[in-house]
C-alpha cells in the first residue's frame, strides 16, 4: 500500500544466499553408497534465504532480501521465481560471473538428507543495509559470528531493529566466545533440537534450552513432530506441532524451518503474544511440508483460515 505516493518502510530485511533446491521426494528407503533409489517425485525449487523472504512476502509483509546472483542458470532460475513472486530487488547484487548455490535434497519418510555446493562470494556488509532500509526486523537464516555480523547486531540495537537468527546447522559451539557474543546481541534465536544440543554440548534438550535461554531474550527451539519450545523472560511455552493442511501428505520438510520462522516473524510484527506467534509459525512450517521445497508456503488468507480452525487467537 502506498501513502501519499511513498512506499511504507521495510518491515523485514532478510540477509543470506539463495539456493536452488533439487528435491527428490517419495524415496522408499534411504540412499546408501553403491545403491540406486528411484524417487516418486522431483522438484526444482528456489530455497536458501529465498524461502523466508518469499514466505514473509506471501504473508503480506514488506520484505527486502540481500542476496548475490551471477551468470549461471541457478541464479537465473531463482531470480525468475523471485520476480514472479513480486519480491523487492532493491538489495540484489548481480555479478558478471557464476554464483552457483544448489542443494540436492533426498526426502524419505518425513526426513531428508542434503548435499550442497556454493560458489563463495563475500556478502554485502549488513550495517550499511540496515541504515539504508531501517527494517523493523533483521532475519538471518544462519548462525553467523563474524565481526561484520556482530557489528550489524549492535547497529540493529541502536536502530531499534529486532534481530531474529536461525542456526541452520552452523559448525558452532558455545565454547567459542565469539558465538556467545553474537547470541547475546540476538533478540530471537530459533535452532532446532539437534542444533541446540550440538551448539551447547548438553546431555539433554532441557539442559540445552536452559543454557541458551540465559544468552538470548527469546529462544525458540523447533522439535519436528514434537512441536516447539520457547522461553522468554524465564517463562517456558511448549506447543504441539500443527497438523498438515486438510489431510495433505508430507512431501518434503526442506523448507519447514524457514517457513516456521516466517510465521514467527509475521506474528512478532503483528504484536501477537508469544504463544500465538508460535501457533502461526507451527502452521506455516507444517504447511510447507506438503510440497517440494518452498512451493507450499502459505499466503496470508490461508494462514488466517488455518489458524481460525486450529487455535483461538488471544
Amino acid at each position: 500500500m502506498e501513502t501519499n505516493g511513498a512506499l511504507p518502510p521495510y518491515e523485514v530485511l532478510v540477509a543470506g544466499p539463495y539456493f536452488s533446491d533439487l528435491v527428490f521426494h517419495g524415496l522408499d528407503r534411504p540412499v546408501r553408497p553403491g545403491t540406486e533409489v528411484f524417487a516418486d517425485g522431483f522438484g526444482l525449487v528456489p530455497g536458501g534465504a529465498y524461502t523466508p523472504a518469499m514466505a514473509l512476502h506471501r504473508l503480506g509483509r514488506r520484505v527486502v532480501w540481500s542476496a548475490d546472483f551471477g551468470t549461471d542458470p541457478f541464479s537465473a532460475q531463482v531470480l525468475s521465481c523471485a520476480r514472479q513472486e513480486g519480491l523487492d530487488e532493491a538489495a540484489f547484487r548481480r555479478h558478471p560471473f557464476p554464483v552457483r548455490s544448489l542443494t540436492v535434497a533426498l526426502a524419505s519418510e518425513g526426513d531428508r538428507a542434503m548435499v550442497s555446493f556454493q560458489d563463495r562470494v563475500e556478502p554485502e556488509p549488513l550495517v550499511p543495509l540496515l541504515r539504508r532500509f531501517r527494517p523493523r526486523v533483521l532475519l538471518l537464516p544462519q548462525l553467523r559470528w563474524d565481526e561484520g555480523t556482530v557489528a550489524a547486531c549492535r547497529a540493529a540495537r541502536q536502530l531499534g531493529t529486532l534481530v531474529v537468527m536461525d542456526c541452520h546447522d552452523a559448525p558452532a559451539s558455545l565454547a567459542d566466545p565469539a558465538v556467545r557474543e553474537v547470541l547475546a546481541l540476538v533478540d530471537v534465536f530459533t535452532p532446532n533440537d539437534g542444533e541446540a544440543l550440538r551448539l551447547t554440548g548438553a546431555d539433554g534438550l532441557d539442559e540445552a534450552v536452559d543454557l541458551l535461554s540465559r544468552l538470548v531474550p527469546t529462544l525458540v527451539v523447533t522439535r519436528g513432530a514434537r512441536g516447539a519450545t520457547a522461553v522468554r523472560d524465564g517463562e517456558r511455552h511448549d506447543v504441539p506441532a500443527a497438523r498438515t493442511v486438510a489431510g495433505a501428505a508430507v512431501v518434503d520438510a526442506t523448507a519447514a524451518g524457514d517457513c516456521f520462522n516466517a510465521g514467527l516473524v509475521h506474528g512478532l510484527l503483528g504484536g501477537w503474544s508469544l504463544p500465538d506467534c508460535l501457533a502461526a509459525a507451527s502452521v506455516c512450517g507444517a504447511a510447507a511440508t506438503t510440497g517440494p521445497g518452498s512451493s507450499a508456503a502459505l499466503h496470508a488468507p490461508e494462514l488466517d483460515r488455518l489458524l481460525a480452525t486450529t487455535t483461538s487467537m488471544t
Side-chain angles (χ1 to χ4, degrees):
M1 180 182 296
E2 294 190 5
T3 305
N4 297 327
L7 286 171
Y10 289 100
E11 293 178 292
V12 188
L13 167 61
V14 178
Y18 85 87
F19 273 84
S20 187
D21 291 343
L22 291 77
V23 182
F24 295 81
H25 56 86
L27 278 66
D28 61 4
R29 65 185 187 277
V31 178
R32 302 186 186 281
T35 68
E36 182 179 18
V37 178
F38 276 84
D40 288 338
F42 170 78
L44 175 60
V45 291
Y50 168 91
T51 299
M54 177 272 288
L56 278 160
H57 178 73
R58 285 191 179 183
L59 292 175
R61 297 302 178 180
R62 182 154 160 74
V63 183
V64 61
W65 172 31
S66 173
D68 293 276
F69 300 94
T71 57
D72 56 282
F74 303 107
S75 290
Q77 180 241 350
V78 176
L79 270 172
S80 175
C81 291
R83 287 167 179 159
Q84 289 175 18
E85 289 284 344
L87 290 181
D88 195 308
E89 300 183 33
F92 288 176
R93 292 195 305 179
R94 297 171 181 81
H95 302 279
F97 48 80
V99 181
R100 297 165 297 175
S101 293
L102 59 150
T103 293
V104 175
L106 307 173
S108 61
E109 299 181 355
D111 203 352
R112 81 276 190 198
M114 295 182 286
V115 179
S116 298
F117 171 83
Q118 187 175 37
D119 286 318
R120 303 300 299 174
V121 177
E122 191 66 28
E124 188 167 5
L126 285 172
V127 173
L129 288 170
L130 285 167
R131 291 173 177 164
R132 175 184 173 191
F133 296 112
R134 295 184 174 267
R136 292 175 58 191
V137 173
L138 169 63
L139 177 55
L140 299 173
Q142 184 174 28
L143 172 57
R144 295 159 49 176
W145 59 97
D146 56 279
E147 291 182 3
T149 300
V150 171
C153 290
R154 294 188 188 280
R157 183 160 293 183
Q158 293 174 350
L159 293 169
T161 296
L162 193 77
V163 179
V164 178
M165 181 183 281
D166 202 341
C167 190
H168 268 212
D169 211 22
S173 168
L174 292 188
D176 187 337
V179 173
R180 295 198 305 273
E181 180 183 15
V182 77
L183 287 178
L185 295 169
V186 168
D187 298 291
V188 184
F189 184 48
T190 65
N192 64 32
D193 49 2
E195 292 163 347
L197 289 169
R198 288 190 293 274
L199 183 61
T200 60
D203 293 328
L205 187 60
D206 286 341
E207 181 187 353
V209 167
D210 181 61
L211 290 170
L212 289 170
S213 63
R214 295 178 191 177
L215 281 175
V216 295
T218 300
L219 172 70
V220 179
V221 179
T222 57
R223 304 174 64 191
R226 295 182 299 278
T229 294
V231 179
R232 175 189 284 172
D233 298 328
E235 185 175 359
R236 176 166 170 161
H237 305 272
D238 292 289
V239 298
R243 296 179 180 178
T244 55
V245 182
V250 172
V251 172
D252 173 32
T254 302
D258 285 321
C259 287
F260 179 100
N261 286 338
L264 179 70
V265 170
H266 177 64
L268 292 171
L269 287 167
W272 300 355
S273 69
L274 184 55
D276 287 344
C277 291
L278 294 172
S282 182
V283 168
C284 287
T289 68
T290 63
S294 58
S295 61
L298 293 175
H299 292 81
E302 296 170 318
L303 174 60
D304 293 341
R305 176 177 57 81
L306 290 169
L307 284 174
T309 61
T310 58
T311 186
S312 175
M313 299 297 291
T314 58

